[in-house]
Amino acid sequence: GLLLRMGSTTEAGMKPTTLLVIFATIQFITYLDRGIISTYLGDIQDDYHLSSLQTGTLAGAYMVGYMAASPIFAHLAAKYHPLFLIGFGLSVWSFAVVCTGLSLEFGTILLARTLSGVGEASFACLAPPLIDARAPPAKKSLWMSIFYINIPVGYAFGYLVAGQWEASGAVSNSFAWRIPFIFAGIVLIPLIIYLFCKSKDPSFSYANKNAHQHGDSKEDTQTGLLDGTDDSKGLNNHLINTDDGSITPINEVGEFETDDDGIHEDMSFLEELKIVCSNRIYLLIILGYAAQTFVVGGFAYWGIKYVEEALGLSESSATLTFGGLTVFTGVAGTGTGGLLLDYFRRGADQGADPNLEKLISTERACMLMSVCAILSLPCVVLGMGLNSLYAFVPLVGLGEFLIFLCLSPINSAVVWITPYQVSPLALALSVLSNHLLGDAISPILIGALLDSTGNQWRTVFVLLSFWLVWPILLWLPAWKFARNEVSRARKKRNMSIC
């Protein structure tokens, strides 16, 4: 696990707050790119004479690269320095985004978007566990929300910046949409160089958990409690499901038992995969997340065009309305989700039992996700169905707020419910399902439906909104299973005390 010293650094190390700021900035820039391409769909479509289906495929191509590379980077995390892998991936991303702006026709922009997905995959699966491991214990959810809040904020700023740039008329329309892509690709380069410079820092590792332990000082004991390197009380005690469906520490399951609590540096990919996928709570969480992303991704990709066509706003007004709504709900929802989860986690420390603490935290995350999923469905359906801007803004805004509120609980639960050493793979599989079943296909499906229905925007988006029933059907059982695991762990703890 990580060698972690909160508020201090190793000789070549990085302060936890510095890590958070850098990763949050990278998250913002990568999602800025997604907002930019959503804003310029019409320009790209006109320049390259594309159908709606082809235009939607640009998002699908990006996600194909994203999905294909995530498991590879996750598996390499135990063998190579995570900051080096992140820097390498983001170098590919930067190159690909610049190439998006320099593309010549549909084939070249399709290839560039695919490569940008490959590049970002390293960051998506390796960064969150590093943040969670270095965050103060009482503020883990808040730190994760600061990181994930840059998804909606970056997306929305992409809408706003691109829309206002085009409206300014500073460059002719045939080239105007290309410049923001070139800018986004270049502006990330200094951060990439910084990550490469820190890629020999020994305080970052997904390898053997004993690799960087130093002595038995009080500080090192606190380090172990934070990052899971303490053998008896690590927050990242390793959990998988046994044959009866219950969650059990890995070192109690013979097949993976080793001298290192069942986790070792040379685990095969299949061993890692079995550890992650044997956890039914984890599977229900990521499948519900994928269903939610199906709706959010489709709406994000086509949202500005929807506001233009269905509500009759001009392009600049649609950009400001949709972008502003996304910024507000994204910031408010994601931040509120982190704060609420930290509030509900208070008192989860059951006599310094880290296993029970993680289970209680996961259970409360599932509770928060389930409630928000139930409330968001009618808001989004009504907001899309009513033919009024005055209904759209408050109802869809409230629905987006509730959806974004789930972001920090979802990703925090994924990290908590899986062993630290395989958490990159857990996040990679979450990314894989999130896009394979979510926003890799929804823009393409929406484009196909628009072509087949003669651009019946309201009908298509109302149908899209009903997909939000799936998070409800998946997260309610996850909440139930998490409650059962908490009860089981409490009974086991009480028996051991007796």
Side-chain angles (χ1 to χ4, degrees):
L2 285 175
L3 172 64
L4 175 61
R5 303 178 189 274
M6 293 306 304
S8 65
T9 65
T10 60
E11 182 178 351
M14 185 192 306
K15 288 184 178 180
T17 49
T18 302
L19 178 79
L20 177 63
V21 170
I22 289 173
F23 281 177
T25 303
I26 293 172
Q27 184 88 313
F28 173 83
I29 295 172
T30 54
Y31 276 86
L32 184 78
D33 164 70
R34 300 196 198 181
I36 290 170
I37 194 169
S38 296
T39 303
Y40 288 133
L41 279 179
D43 298 273
I44 296 171
Q45 191 171 14
D46 292 341
D47 276 8
Y48 294 148
H49 307 291
L50 307 179
S51 67
S52 295
L53 178 59
Q54 286 177 309
T55 307
T57 303
L58 290 178
Y62 163 80
M63 297 304 173
V64 167
Y66 200 100
M67 293 184 296
S70 293
I72 297 173
F73 280 115
H75 184 61
L76 292 175
K79 299 175 175 61
Y80 299 95
H81 198 287
L83 295 186
F84 173 81
L85 292 174
I86 291 172
F88 175 80
L90 291 177
S91 299
V92 176
W93 182 90
S94 180
F95 172 77
V97 173
V98 171
C99 288
T100 299
L102 300 176
S103 60
L104 302 175
E105 34 77 38
F106 178 65
T108 53
I109 195 173
L110 191 66
L111 178 60
R113 298 313 296 172
T114 303
L115 282 177
S116 69
V118 171
E120 193 186 336
S122 63
F123 179 71
C125 64
L126 298 181
L130 298 179
I131 294 173
D132 181 78
R134 289 188 167 232
K139 297 181 179 180
K140 285 183 177 290
S141 301
L142 177 60
W143 276 44
M144 292 291 273
S145 70
I146 292 172
F147 176 70
Y148 282 107
I149 206 170
N150 287 283
I151 292 178
V153 172
Y155 226 131
F157 266 85
Y159 295 145
L160 296 172
V161 169
Q164 295 310 302
W165 167 254
E166 185 172 29
S168 70
V171 180
S172 63
N173 289 336
S174 61
F175 193 73
W177 66 266
R178 301 175 182 273
I179 292 177
F181 288 110
I182 297 171
F183 171 79
I186 293 174
V187 77
L188 193 61
I189 292 175
L191 293 177
I192 295 172
I193 294 172
Y194 181 81
L195 291 176
F196 277 129
C197 291
K198 294 295 182 180
S199 64
K200 296 187 183 299
D201 183 349
S203 67
F204 294 88
S205 176
Y206 285 107
N208 188 305
K209 71 173 187 177
N210 295 318
H212 304 298
Q213 289 183 339
H214 300 285
D216 298 320
S217 68
K218 181 178 179 180
E219 185 180 23
D220 288 327
T221 300
Q222 292 171 343
T223 292
L225 291 176
L226 288 174
D227 71 3
T229 58
D230 179 80
D231 287 337
S232 61
K233 297 180 181 180
L235 274 177
N236 294 290
N237 191 24
H238 312 312
L239 307 173
I240 64 171
N241 279 82
T242 53
D243 292 338
D244 64 359
S246 63
I247 298 177
T248 306
I250 290 175
N251 60 3
E252 297 178 11
V253 183
E255 184 173 356
F256 297 105
E257 185 170 1
T258 72
D259 293 336
D260 191 31
D261 285 347
I263 299 290
H264 54 87
E265 185 173 357
D266 297 323
M267 279 193 301
S268 70
F269 178 77
L270 290 179
E271 285 179 312
E272 295 178 358
L273 190 65
K274 184 171 182 179
I275 291 171
V276 173
C277 293
S278 61
N279 191 317
R280 61 184 176 181
I281 297 174
Y282 163 79
L283 293 176
L284 289 170
I285 289 172
I286 67 169
L287 289 174
Y289 189 21
Q292 196 177 69
T293 304
F294 181 93
V295 177
V296 174
F299 188 45
Y301 199 78
W302 290 101
I304 291 177
K305 291 282 287 182
Y306 170 84
V307 174
E308 288 181 51
E309 300 295 335
L311 299 178
L313 272 66
S314 65
E315 182 176 357
S316 60
S317 297
T319 300
L320 286 172
T321 300
F322 187 69
L325 188 65
T326 303
V327 168
F328 177 76
T329 58
V331 172
T334 308
T336 302
L339 291 171
L340 280 178
L341 185 53
D342 278 334
Y343 175 80
F344 287 128
R345 287 177 59 239
R346 291 194 306 178
D349 183 4
Q350 299 290 308
D353 184 341
N355 181 23
L356 185 53
E357 180 180 346
K358 284 208 314 177
L359 289 173
I360 292 173
S361 297
T362 301
E363 181 269 330
R364 291 175 184 176
C366 291
M367 173 196 70
L368 195 56
M369 290 151 47
S370 299
V371 171
C372 290
I374 292 170
L375 296 176
S376 65
L377 175 61
C379 293
V380 177
V381 170
L382 288 173
M384 294 295 180
L386 297 174
N387 186 23
S388 169
L389 179 64
Y390 299 104
F392 173 85
V393 171
L395 288 173
V396 173
L398 179 58
E400 283 190 335
F401 171 82
L402 292 166
I403 289 171
F404 285 127
L405 197 149
C406 297
L407 201 55
S408 180
I410 290 168
N411 289 283
S412 295
V414 166
V415 172
W416 292 332
I417 205 66
T418 53
Y420 174 74
Q421 287 88 337
V422 296
S423 58
L425 180 61
L427 284 162
L429 293 178
S430 177
V431 168
L432 187 68
S433 64
N434 208 25
H435 299 309
L436 183 64
L437 304 176
D439 53 4
I441 57 175
S442 59
I444 300 173
L445 181 60
I446 292 171
L449 288 173
L450 289 171
D451 286 340
S452 64
T453 60
N455 292 324
Q456 295 293 320
W457 286 88
R458 195 175 310 281
T459 301
V460 170
F461 270 75
V462 168
L463 289 174
L464 173 70
S465 303
F466 275 108
W467 202 252
L468 288 172
V469 72
W470 284 109
I472 300 172
L473 299 178
L474 292 163
W475 288 344
L476 284 174
W479 182 18
K480 176 185 176 182
F481 293 148
R483 291 201 309 270
N484 292 342
E485 294 302 336
V486 170
S487 299
R488 191 192 309 272
R490 280 177 171 157
K491 288 179 183 177
K492 184 175 180 180
R493 176 172 173 267
N494 292 335
M495 289 176 63
S496 64
I497 293 175
C498 295

